[in-house]
Amino acid sequence: MKRWGVLVGAAVLTIALVAPAPSQGQVRLTSGKIVIAVLNDQSGVYKDLSGPTSVEAVRMAVADFEQQFGKFPGPVEIISADHQNKPDLANVKAREFYERYGANIILDVPTSSAALAVAEAAKELKRLYINITAATTQLTNDNCNKYTFHYAYDTYMLANGTATEVTKKIGKNWYIVYPNYAFGQDMERSFRAAIERSGGKVLLSDGTPFPNDDFSTYLIKARTLRPTMHVLGVMQAGGDLVNFVKQYNEFGLRSKGVNLAIGLLFLSDVHALGVQAFEGTLYTTPWEWVLDKQSREWADRFLARTKVRPTFAHAGNYSATWQYLSAVRRAGTDQPDAVVAALEGFRFSDFFARNAEIRRQDHRVIHDAYLARVKAPSEVKEPWDYVEILSTIPAGEAFQPLSASKCKQ
Amino acid sequence: MENLLLQVFNGLVNGAFFALLSLGLAVIFGMLRVVNFMHGALYMLGAFATYLLGTSAGVSFWWALVLAPLAVAAVGIVLERLFLRRLYDVDPLYNLLLTFGLTLVLQDTMRLRFGIQGVPYSAPSLLKGAIVWGNLLFPTYRLFVLGFSVLICLLTWWVIEWTRVGMIVRAATENPGLTRALGIDVDRWVPPVFAFGVALAALAGVLAAPMRNVSPLMGADLIVTTFAIVVIGGLGSILGSVVTGFLVGVIVALGAVYYPPVSNTLVFVLMAIILLLRPAGLFGSLE
């Protein structure tokens, strides 16, 4: 009897080894297709940094993935909508995507308040959601849930990178100017904490109206602040950031030794204002197209398709789409709980995310981040060549440590 | 103290933009009885015209100061002849709605062509840098903006008070029927007066291009404050709009020194107080 058991066991093992594992073969699709929804700003202030070109990046990822691994048993549809950066609209659209269009996953979603609204919908309807362009750490803290992942960056990463490095290397005294709404307040808190952790001091911080077209008041304050400040930390984004930097140059603060550190900077911002305006500015970024050969190759293909060089949001959307499809393959199904299980704890490295790990506990995707500097006009060698990578912040240090996470799933 | 002086100077510079914009609004309202909602969009067109003249035809900032307002005024005349004039005889509300619609069209057209982020434009080299005087620092470009707009405001005032054209405009503003009865063709003066108001908005746009983000929405952010200024100054009052423009610029700047969150709200607080105490505005009179 015992021998029989061994024989049967051996036979089962042999079959298991010889027969292809389900993940290598057929993927079962619950409704015969995969629907990927991109929800972002298609007309407002964040259009250029993500918007319709991110939808194109997702298309590109699906095409590349199917070319490499073969077609899925059903079509992969890509749908998109404009949430106009409004949380209520984002919530309605997300529900429509999940319920009416059967979306398997929602991607992108800039603007923190809108991003949090979509996380609620994902949690309630038990469908996947990978956020790329929103900055709030709440997605992986108070508002974390089983179906929500945060992919590219967050305010902790930005503040930790820039504030720590700049305080250590350039100067200890900071003056922070931030737009007075959720994102700006979040950034101010994160920067202040990181500055104080690394021995610096925040002399003053001012919350400004939003939107605002004149910042001269704060620039004059910066000149006359005592004791002398070294770093002006600016948390504005989009058009307000452009206004700020134009006026910073006008008041000649750079020649007074006041360095400019920017909370969140996209390649599209530098492109809009011209490299000379941002010259010397320091900031933290999850990716830049000039990073290395692999990134450049991808950026070249992206340029050929869209006529623009990608921001990190575009690259992040591509990478996240790829990781989702690869998780579906590993799980052998598009069933949400199985895909979540395949994503959790997964480690990978692609052109966008290096040394990446999708943390099981809070769904923060950690990966290397970079401290970057905007080049001087004389250093620019080709169109869109605006950025120099100064140093790499290893994945393990770049993001909020798990011990500090408030996530209770 | 030095700090405060600088802040007042800055307030005056910002006030210069408000003054030019509200002056244009006042001139148009006086003659046409039209609340021109697209004034902000025309300001934006002025800035874009400066950028386009510079990049496509190599026109310098100095020539743009003349050419951009002319170009935008031409657009204004076309819009006035095609659309606005058809609604002069009905409730003024219709023209308000019409110009609001045109604003959206103009903004979205620019958005389609240039995107939302804005385009780069920098000051001419002559106006770069700053004049330092002891501890005080005045960016050269800002001094120029202040001087130039004061000059334009004075010039407008002179034309309206002391020339024959100005007399006709004042008469038509006061009582169009009586002016007509005296044998003056009031309607003939409507397009040029409208074009002049539009040119003032465009001029403010040209001046804004080197120091603010040139983007399709730059006017939308400004127009609400400008309306508040016109109301505070007194609807249609030339002097009122200019003085209030500078005044509000200074109030907003000083507000931001002491308590930034309220600086933009102060204008509307002021408006509410003025409306309660002097319903016709600071310089207006009840008809």
Side-chain angles (χ1 to χ4, degrees), chain A residues 312-328:
Chain A
F312 74 73
H314 298 131
N317 272 290
Y318 179 100
S319 170
T321 308
W322 188 284
Q323 289 309 326
Y324 170 73
L325 293 176
S326 130
V328 170

Side-chain angles (χ1 to χ4, degrees), chain B residues 103-187:
Chain B
T103 303
L104 298 180
V105 173
L106 291 175
Q107 277 175 7
D108 280 3
T109 311
M110 300 314 270
R111 182 143 74 180
L112 274 177
R113 174 68 188 78
F114 296 100
I116 195 74
Q117 191 103 36
V119 293
Y121 192 83
S122 55
S125 47
L126 187 64
L127 296 178
K128 277 189 179 153
I131 290 170
V132 182
W133 188 39
N135 264 335
L136 297 176
L137 174 136
F138 301 99
T140 320
Y141 185 75
R142 284 183 184 239
L143 282 170
F144 167 76
V145 168
L146 186 56
F148 192 76
S149 11
V150 168
L151 191 73
I152 294 289
C153 290
L154 285 175
L155 210 64
T156 309
W157 173 78
W158 179 79
V159 167
I160 289 179
E161 289 295 317
W162 298 101
T163 63
R164 194 183 140 71
V165 179
M167 209 162 68
I168 294 169
V169 171
R170 272 184 296 141
T173 303
E174 200 69 36
N175 194 332
L178 196 61
T179 315
R180 263 191 210 99
L182 290 169
I184 291 163
D185 186 358
V186 173
D187 298 335

Side-chain angles (χ1 to χ4, degrees), chain A residues 263-274:
Chain A
L264 172 58
L265 187 68
F266 288 90
L267 189 70
S268 46
D269 296 320
V270 186
H271 188 67
L273 192 46

Side-chain angles (χ1 to χ4, degrees), chain A residues 68-383:
Chain A
Q68 187 168 338
F69 296 104
K71 295 253 179 224
F72 284 95
V76 181
E77 282 175 15
I78 295 148
I79 55 179
S80 64
D82 187 357
H83 71 3
Q84 297 171 25
N85 301 319
K86 294 175 185 155
D88 50 335
L89 193 58
N91 187 24
V92 171
K93 287 284 172 198
R95 280 164 200 279
E96 200 178 294
F97 276 155
Y98 286 139
E99 291 186 313
R100 230 172 83 205
Y101 296 98
N104 293 80
I105 181 165
I106 291 179
L107 291 172
D108 208 14
V109 200
T111 307
S112 294
S113 51
L116 290 167
V118 176
E120 277 307 304
K123 179 184 177 187
E124 204 184 303
L125 301 172
K126 302 194 184 336
R127 297 285 183 88
L128 267 85
Y129 165 40
I130 302 185
N131 184 287
I132 289 121
T133 320
T136 179
T137 46
Q138 284 186 44
L139 282 170
T140 52
N141 282 284
D142 311 303
N143 295 65
C144 73
N145 67 64
K146 187 181 172 186
Y147 300 94
T148 299
F149 295 82
H150 202 187
Y151 205 79
Y153 76 110
D154 59 29
T155 51
Y156 182 95
M157 180 207 99
L158 297 172
N160 186 52
T162 311
T164 311
E165 296 287 312
V166 172
T167 305
K168 278 185 196 150
K169 289 179 185 156
I170 292 180
K172 293 198 181 319
N173 292 347
W174 287 67
Y175 172 30
I176 298 179
V177 179
Y178 64 97
N180 216 341
Y181 63 95
F183 162 78
Q185 292 159 356
D186 199 8
M187 288 288 279
E188 198 265 347
R189 271 194 303 275
S190 305
F191 261 76
R192 184 185 285 276
I195 290 165
E196 283 165 3
R197 254 203 320 273
S198 38
K201 206 175 150 202
V202 180
L203 300 179
L204 182 69
S205 86
D206 271 329
T208 73
F210 166 81
N212 190 16
D213 54 19
D214 195 83
F215 291 97
S216 49
T217 307
Y218 313 101
L219 293 165
I220 292 172
K221 271 196 196 175
R223 283 181 63 87
T224 46
L225 211 56
R226 294 288 174 275
T228 312
M229 51 162 296
H230 308 117
V231 190
L232 182 56
V234 185
M235 306 303 139
Q236 262 71 15
D240 276 15
L241 177 63
V242 176
N243 277 326
F244 195 103
V245 175
K246 261 190 169 177
Q247 288 152 20
Y248 163 83
N249 289 320
E250 215 185 329
F251 278 83
L253 286 169
R254 185 176 295 132
S255 54
K256 282 274 279 184
V258 174
N259 296 282
L260 193 62
I262 290 178
L264 172 58
L265 187 68
F266 288 90
L267 189 70
S268 46
D269 296 320
V270 186
H271 188 67
L273 192 46
V275 72
Q276 78 283 354
F278 283 101
E279 179 186 340
T281 302
L282 299 163
Y283 68 103
T284 302
T285 178
W287 182 84
E288 288 293 341
W289 72 276
V290 292
L291 188 61
D292 57 13
K293 195 159 161 283
Q294 200 188 359
S295 298
R296 273 177 181 273
E297 275 167 13
W298 183 80
D300 286 346
R301 291 202 296 128
F302 188 82
L303 180 71
R305 266 179 105 111
T306 62
K307 307 276 173 288
V308 292
R309 285 287 183 193
T311 65
F312 74 73
H314 298 131
N317 272 290
Y318 179 100
S319 170
T321 308
W322 188 284
Q323 289 309 326
Y324 170 73
L325 293 176
S326 130
V328 170
R329 265 179 61 86
R330 285 198 304 278
T333 172
D334 64 339
Q335 207 271 322
D337 287 22
V339 180
V340 167
L343 282 169
E344 282 182 341
F346 188 64
R347 290 165 188 268
F348 63 97
S349 241
D350 64 11
F351 80 95
F352 170 78
R354 306 296 160 87
N355 305 314
E357 181 192 344
I358 305 171
R359 278 204 307 227
R360 182 190 311 279
Q361 295 84 344
D362 62 350
H363 289 187
R364 172 71 256 172
V365 181
I366 60 164
H367 47 74
D368 291 356
Y370 309 91
L371 185 71
R373 182 187 70 95
V374 179
K375 289 182 171 180
S378 58
E379 299 168 83
V380 174
K381 293 193 191 67
E382 57 182 308

Side-chain angles (χ1 to χ4, degrees), chain B residues 229-250:
Chain B
I229 289 165
V230 174
V231 172
I232 296 170
L235 267 182
S237 161
I238 306 282
L239 181 67
S241 61
V242 173
V243 172
T244 316
F246 284 107
L247 184 73
V248 164
V250 174

